[in-house]
Coordinates of all heavy atoms in Angstrom, one line a residue:
G48 N -1.9 -26.0 -90.2 CA -2.4 -25.4 -89.1 C -2.7 -26.2 -87.9 O -2.9 -25.8 -86.8
D49 N -2.7 -27.6 -88.1 CA -2.9 -28.5 -87.0 C -1.7 -28.5 -86.0 O -0.6 -28.2 -86.5 CB -3.1 -29.9 -87.5 CG -4.5 -30.2 -88.1 OD1 -5.3 -29.2 -88.0 OD2 -4.7 -31.2 -88.7
V50 N -1.9 -28.7 -84.8 CA -0.9 -28.9 -83.8 C -0.6 -30.3 -83.4 O -1.6 -31.0 -83.1 CB -1.3 -28.1 -82.5 CG1 -0.2 -28.2 -81.4 CG2 -1.6 -26.6 -82.8
I51 N 0.6 -30.8 -83.6 CA 0.9 -32.2 -83.3 C 0.8 -32.4 -81.8 O 1.3 -31.7 -81.0 CB 2.4 -32.5 -83.8 CG1 2.5 -32.3 -85.3 CG2 2.7 -33.9 -83.4 CD1 3.8 -32.3 -85.8
T52 N 0.0 -33.4 -81.4 CA -0.3 -33.7 -80.0 C -0.2 -35.2 -79.7 O -1.1 -35.8 -79.3 CB -1.6 -33.2 -79.6 OG1 -2.6 -33.8 -80.5 CG2 -1.7 -31.7 -79.7
P53 N 1.0 -35.8 -79.9 CA 1.1 -37.2 -79.6 C 0.8 -37.6 -78.2 O 1.1 -36.8 -77.3 CB 2.5 -37.6 -80.0 CG 3.3 -36.3 -79.9 CD 2.3 -35.2 -80.2
G54 N 0.4 -38.8 -77.9 CA 0.1 -39.2 -76.6 C -0.5 -40.6 -76.6 O -0.9 -41.1 -77.6
D55 N -0.6 -41.2 -75.4 CA -1.2 -42.6 -75.4 C -2.7 -42.5 -75.1 O -3.1 -42.6 -74.0 CB -0.5 -43.4 -74.3 CG -1.0 -44.8 -74.2 OD1 -1.7 -45.3 -75.1 OD2 -0.7 -45.5 -73.2
Y56 N -3.4 -42.2 -76.2 CA -4.8 -42.0 -76.1 C -5.6 -43.2 -75.9 O -6.8 -43.2 -75.5 CB -5.3 -41.2 -77.2 CG -4.8 -39.8 -77.3 CD1 -3.6 -39.5 -78.1 CD2 -5.5 -38.7 -76.7 CE1 -3.2 -38.2 -78.1 CE2 -5.0 -37.4 -76.8 CZ -3.8 -37.2 -77.4 OH -3.4 -35.9 -77.5
D57 N -5.1 -44.4 -76.3 CA -5.9 -45.6 -76.2 C -5.4 -46.6 -75.1 O -5.9 -47.6 -74.9 CB -5.8 -46.4 -77.6 CG -4.5 -46.8 -78.1 OD1 -3.5 -46.5 -77.3 OD2 -4.4 -47.2 -79.3
G58 N -4.4 -46.0 -74.3 CA -4.0 -46.8 -73.1 C -3.2 -48.1 -73.3 O -3.2 -48.9 -72.5
D59 N -2.6 -48.2 -74.5 CA -1.8 -49.4 -74.8 C -0.3 -49.3 -74.5 O 0.5 -50.2 -74.7 CB -2.0 -49.9 -76.2 CG -1.5 -49.0 -77.2 OD1 -1.0 -47.9 -76.8 OD2 -1.4 -49.3 -78.4
G60 N 0.1 -48.1 -73.9 CA 1.5 -48.0 -73.6 C 2.4 -47.4 -74.7 O 3.5 -47.3 -74.5
T61 N 1.8 -47.2 -75.9 CA 2.5 -46.6 -77.0 C 1.8 -45.3 -77.4 O 0.6 -45.2 -77.4 CB 2.4 -47.6 -78.2 OG1 3.0 -48.9 -77.8 CG2 3.1 -47.1 -79.4
S62 N 2.6 -44.3 -77.8 CA 2.2 -43.0 -78.3 C 1.4 -43.2 -79.5 O 1.8 -43.9 -80.4 CB 3.3 -42.0 -78.4 OG 3.8 -41.6 -77.2
D63 N 0.2 -42.5 -79.5 CA -0.6 -42.5 -80.8 C -0.3 -41.2 -81.5 O 0.1 -40.2 -81.0 CB -2.0 -42.5 -80.3 CG -2.4 -43.8 -79.5 OD1 -2.0 -44.8 -80.0 OD2 -3.0 -43.5 -78.5
I64 N -0.5 -41.2 -82.8 CA -0.4 -40.1 -83.7 C -1.6 -39.3 -83.5 O -2.8 -39.8 -83.6 CB -0.2 -40.5 -85.1 CG1 1.0 -41.3 -85.3 CG2 -0.2 -39.3 -86.0 CD1 1.2 -42.0 -86.6
A65 N -1.5 -38.0 -83.2 CA -2.7 -37.2 -82.9 C -2.4 -35.7 -83.3 O -1.3 -35.2 -83.2 CB -3.1 -37.2 -81.5
V66 N -3.4 -34.9 -83.6 CA -3.4 -33.6 -83.9 C -4.5 -32.8 -83.3 O -5.6 -33.4 -83.1 CB -3.3 -33.2 -85.4 CG1 -2.0 -33.8 -86.0 CG2 -4.5 -33.7 -86.2
F67 N -4.3 -31.6 -82.9 CA -5.5 -30.7 -82.5 C -5.6 -29.6 -83.6 O -4.6 -29.1 -84.0 CB -5.1 -30.0 -81.2 CG -6.1 -29.0 -80.7 CD1 -7.4 -29.4 -80.3 CD2 -5.8 -27.7 -80.7 CE1 -8.3 -28.4 -79.9 CE2 -6.7 -26.7 -80.3 CZ -8.0 -27.1 -79.9
R68 N -6.8 -29.3 -84.0 CA -7.1 -28.4 -85.0 C -7.7 -27.1 -84.3 O -8.9 -27.1 -84.0 CB -8.1 -29.0 -86.0 CG -8.3 -28.1 -87.3 CD -8.9 -29.0 -88.4 NE -7.9 -29.9 -88.8 CZ -8.2 -31.1 -89.4 NH1 -9.5 -31.4 -89.7 NH2 -7.3 -31.9 -89.7
P69 N -6.8 -26.1 -84.1 CA -7.2 -24.9 -83.4 C -8.4 -24.1 -84.0 O -9.1 -23.4 -83.4 CB -6.0 -24.1 -83.1 CG -4.9 -24.7 -83.8 CD -5.4 -26.0 -84.4
A70 N -8.5 -24.3 -85.3 CA -9.5 -23.5 -86.0 C -10.9 -23.8 -85.6 O -11.8 -23.0 -85.7 CB -9.3 -23.8 -87.6
D71 N -11.1 -25.1 -85.2 CA -12.5 -25.5 -84.8 C -12.6 -26.3 -83.5 O -13.6 -26.8 -83.1 CB -13.2 -26.3 -85.9 CG -12.4 -27.5 -86.5 OD1 -11.4 -28.0 -85.7 OD2 -12.6 -27.9 -87.5
G72 N -11.4 -26.5 -82.8 CA -11.4 -27.2 -81.5 C -11.5 -28.7 -81.6 O -12.0 -29.4 -80.7
D73 N -11.2 -29.3 -82.8 CA -11.3 -30.7 -83.0 C -10.0 -31.4 -82.8 O -8.8 -30.9 -83.0 CB -11.7 -31.1 -84.5 CG -13.2 -30.7 -84.7 OD1 -13.9 -30.6 -83.7 OD2 -13.6 -30.6 -85.8
W74 N -10.0 -32.7 -82.2 CA -8.9 -33.5 -82.0 C -9.0 -34.7 -82.9 O -10.1 -35.3 -83.1 CB -8.8 -34.1 -80.6 CG -8.7 -33.0 -79.5 CD1 -9.6 -32.2 -79.0 CD2 -7.5 -32.7 -78.9 NE1 -9.1 -31.4 -78.1 CE2 -7.7 -31.7 -78.0 CE3 -6.1 -33.2 -79.0 CZ2 -6.8 -31.1 -77.2 CZ3 -5.2 -32.6 -78.1 CH2 -5.5 -31.6 -77.3
Y75 N -7.9 -35.2 -83.5 CA -7.9 -36.4 -84.4 C -6.8 -37.3 -84.0 O -5.6 -36.8 -83.8 CB -7.7 -36.0 -85.8 CG -8.9 -35.1 -86.4 CD1 -8.8 -33.8 -86.4 CD2 -10.1 -35.7 -86.8 CE1 -9.8 -32.9 -86.8 CE2 -11.1 -35.0 -87.3 CZ -11.0 -33.6 -87.3 OH -12.0 -32.8 -87.7
V76 N -7.2 -38.5 -83.6 CA -6.2 -39.5 -83.1 C -6.2 -40.7 -84.0 O -7.2 -41.3 -84.3 CB -6.6 -39.9 -81.6 CG1 -5.6 -40.9 -81.1 CG2 -6.6 -38.7 -80.8
L77 N -4.9 -41.2 -84.4 CA -4.8 -42.4 -85.1 C -4.2 -43.4 -84.1 O -3.1 -43.3 -83.7 CB -3.8 -42.2 -86.3 CG -3.4 -43.5 -87.0 CD1 -4.7 -44.1 -87.6 CD2 -2.4 -43.2 -88.0
K78 N -5.1 -44.3 -83.6 CA -4.7 -45.2 -82.5 C -3.6 -46.2 -83.0 O -3.7 -46.8 -84.1 CB -5.9 -46.0 -82.0 CG -7.0 -45.1 -81.4 CD -8.2 -46.0 -81.0 CE -9.3 -45.1 -80.5 NZ -10.5 -45.9 -80.2
S79 N -2.6 -46.4 -82.1 CA -1.5 -47.4 -82.5 C -2.0 -48.8 -82.3 O -1.5 -49.7 -82.9 CB -0.3 -47.2 -81.6 OG -0.6 -47.3 -80.2
S80 N -3.1 -49.0 -81.5 CA -3.5 -50.4 -81.2 C -4.3 -51.0 -82.4 O -4.2 -52.2 -82.6 CB -4.4 -50.4 -79.9 OG -5.5 -49.6 -80.1
D81 N -5.0 -50.3 -83.1 CA -5.8 -50.8 -84.2 C -5.9 -49.9 -85.5 O -6.7 -50.2 -86.4 CB -7.2 -51.2 -83.7 CG -8.0 -50.0 -83.2 OD1 -7.6 -48.8 -83.5 OD2 -9.1 -50.2 -82.6
T82 N -5.2 -48.8 -85.5 CA -5.0 -47.9 -86.6 C -6.4 -47.3 -87.0 O -6.6 -47.0 -88.2 CB -4.3 -48.5 -87.8 OG1 -5.1 -49.6 -88.4 CG2 -3.0 -48.9 -87.5
T83 N -7.3 -47.2 -86.0 CA -8.6 -46.4 -86.4 C -8.3 -45.0 -86.1 O -7.6 -44.6 -85.3 CB -9.8 -47.0 -85.6 OG1 -9.5 -46.8 -84.2 CG2 -10.1 -48.4 -85.9
I84 N -9.1 -44.2 -86.8 CA -9.0 -42.7 -86.6 C -10.2 -42.3 -85.8 O -11.3 -42.6 -86.1 CB -8.9 -41.9 -87.9 CG1 -7.6 -42.4 -88.6 CG2 -9.0 -40.4 -87.6 CD1 -7.5 -41.7 -90.0
T85 N -10.0 -41.6 -84.7 CA -11.1 -41.0 -83.9 C -11.0 -39.5 -83.9 O -9.9 -38.9 -83.8 CB -10.9 -41.4 -82.4 OG1 -10.9 -42.9 -82.4 CG2 -12.0 -40.9 -81.6
G86 N -12.2 -38.9 -84.2 CA -12.3 -37.4 -84.2 C -13.2 -37.0 -83.1 O -14.3 -37.5 -82.9
V87 N -12.8 -36.0 -82.3 CA -13.6 -35.5 -81.2 C -13.6 -34.0 -81.1 O -12.5 -33.4 -81.2 CB -13.1 -36.1 -79.8 CG1 -13.9 -35.5 -78.7 CG2 -13.1 -37.6 -79.9
N88 N -14.7 -33.3 -81.0 CA -14.7 -31.9 -80.8 C -14.7 -31.7 -79.3 O -15.5 -32.1 -78.6 CB -16.0 -31.3 -81.4 CG -16.0 -29.8 -81.2 OD1 -16.5 -29.3 -80.2 ND2 -15.4 -29.1 -82.1
W89 N -13.5 -31.1 -78.9 CA -13.3 -30.8 -77.4 C -12.5 -29.6 -77.4 O -11.3 -29.6 -77.3 CB -12.5 -32.0 -76.8 CG -12.3 -31.9 -75.3 CD1 -11.2 -31.4 -74.7 CD2 -13.3 -32.2 -74.4 NE1 -11.4 -31.4 -73.4 CE2 -12.7 -31.9 -73.1 CE3 -14.6 -32.6 -74.3 CZ2 -13.3 -32.0 -71.9 CZ3 -15.2 -32.8 -73.1 CH2 -14.6 -32.5 -71.9
G90 N -13.2 -28.4 -77.3 CA -12.5 -27.2 -77.3 C -13.2 -26.1 -78.2 O -14.2 -26.4 -78.8
L91 N -12.7 -24.9 -78.2 CA -13.2 -23.8 -79.0 C -12.2 -23.4 -79.9 O -11.0 -23.6 -79.7 CB -13.6 -22.7 -78.0 CG -14.7 -23.1 -76.9 CD1 -14.8 -21.9 -76.0 CD2 -16.0 -23.4 -77.5
A92 N -12.7 -22.7 -80.9 CA -11.8 -22.1 -81.9 C -10.8 -21.2 -81.2 O -11.1 -20.4 -80.4 CB -12.6 -21.3 -83.0

């Protein structure tokens, strides 16, 4: 159910692996620069 949303979220010039979860408005990003996972609630179901 997640929507694939790659982009350069950490500003290092390389696309990061990311998904948007429409069920709850959460974004999850796996940064290419240091492989940490960031989760942010930004949106509505």
